[in-house]
Amino acid sequence: MDTGLASELGTGMGVDLWAALIAAAIGTYLMRALPLVWMRRHLLRRSTKNTLEAMPTWLSVLGPLMIAAMFGVSLVPSKLSLASGLATVFGVLVTMVVWEKTRSLGWPVLAGVAVYGVVIFLASFLV
Amino acid sequence: MNLQAETSNNRPWLMGVRESIPLLGGYIPVAISFGLIAVQSGFSSWEAVAISVLIYAGASQFLFVAMVASGAPLWFVVVMTLLINARHVIYGPNLVPWLTGSRWWPWLMHGLTDQIFALAHTRLPQLAPDERVGWFFGSSLLAWFSWIGGTALGAVAGKELTQQWPLFAEVMPFALPALFLVLLAPRFTSRLWSLALGSTVVVALVFSLNGMTNAAIPVAAIAGAVVFFGLGALK
């Protein structure tokens, strides 16, 4: 991916790129912190503890859907081929099976990556 | 993960560190692949680490690096980076019922990732109020440091790793869909949710396969919401 702006980066990020990075960082932080501050004040004003009902429904629905969308996007391998397609299918299946068994976050990811790697590795001998 | 409620014999921050250890299996492989991809895209190792320190949000960091490398306008890079993180706005309010009066909470929200939210949402209600800030501090700090450390490893050793094991760079990014899948799996709680989530995944996949990766996430999420509310209204 050594194109255009990327090759300029070889000499270090310019001021404008640092500004973009800091803007993205501050924006990300504010999106994490401000809704919490707002909800705390909202509850104090209302003197209620029923936070979940006070949340707009569309907001709580959109959260999981965003993760589902990111999952769909990330499923597409960088190199599209039969091997990467098969590796994706097996990787997803194994991740699901290990998640069913362990209900943890770490092991299913490790197992999924390992199986994905094994399929790609085996395919490299066949092609 | 054993998430049984514990008594307060341990220091809360240490308890948080211990309980977030399972997250490392998901964080470090993704962070290594991020460091590697950032360097391959023309960023230096320090710049890759700076992105992980400051933005600290997986998918949007990949997007940031990829868009910059492709020469996209910087304002558009920032907008897309924020858009992809928009889901984070729902996490903070959902934790509010278990927050104490500490002034630290807003500052600790830099560490509010998908995984930390999932862990905190389960664990905070089980802890005594005076343990919660310490617990969150310990767990989120370990996760943040593992992300930074993984990025540094990927950035510094990336070239050697790809030279010695050319398949490494091809395989490691699979940690990202695997991680999203694990976050997503517990949310298939009903037929309505399954249909909404399933259609979101399919729309995102189709858009991405057709090269419309940037539009895929918001469009797919909106499509899923239409399915959710549309089918919900029919009931």
Side-chain angles (χ1 to χ4, degrees), chain A residues 3 6 13 29 32 40 52 105, chain B residues 41 47 56 69 94 100 106 110:
Chain A
T3 58
M13 296 203 306
Y29 168 71
R32 287 167 169 164
R40 278 180 112 178
L52 291 175
L105 289 168
Chain B
S41 302
E47 289 159 356
Y56 184 38
N94 276 306
T100 52
H110 179 58

Side-chain angles (χ1 to χ4, degrees), chain A residues 3-127:
Chain A
T3 58
L5 194 53
S7 56
E8 290 172 25
L9 290 169
T11 56
M13 296 203 306
V15 174
D16 51 348
L17 195 46
W18 273 106
L21 169 59
I22 289 167
I26 291 173
T28 303
Y29 168 71
L30 290 178
M31 284 197 304
R32 287 167 169 164
L34 284 184
L36 176 130
V37 173
W38 177 82
M39 186 58 84
R40 278 180 112 178
R41 288 183 181 168
H42 179 71
L43 289 184
L44 276 176
R45 276 201 306 271
R46 286 190 155 195
S47 301
T48 173
K49 289 285 176 190
N50 202 348
T51 312
L52 291 175
E53 278 192 14
M55 287 270 292
T57 312
W58 65 267
L59 202 60
S60 55
V61 168
L62 213 53
L65 295 179
M66 294 290 279
I67 299 175
M70 272 183 271
F71 170 61
V73 168
S74 64
L75 270 179
V76 179
S78 53
K79 282 187 199 168
L80 276 177
S81 65
L82 181 62
S84 64
L86 276 176
T88 302
V89 170
F90 280 107
V92 163
L93 288 175
V94 168
T95 304
M96 278 304 299
V97 168
V98 176
W99 177 78
E100 282 287 343
K101 301 270 182 204
T102 64
R103 299 277 162 162
S104 69
L105 289 168
W107 293 114
V109 174
L110 281 179
V113 171
V115 167
Y116 185 94
V118 166
V119 174
I120 294 285
F121 182 72
L122 290 176
S124 68
F125 284 107
L126 297 173
V127 177

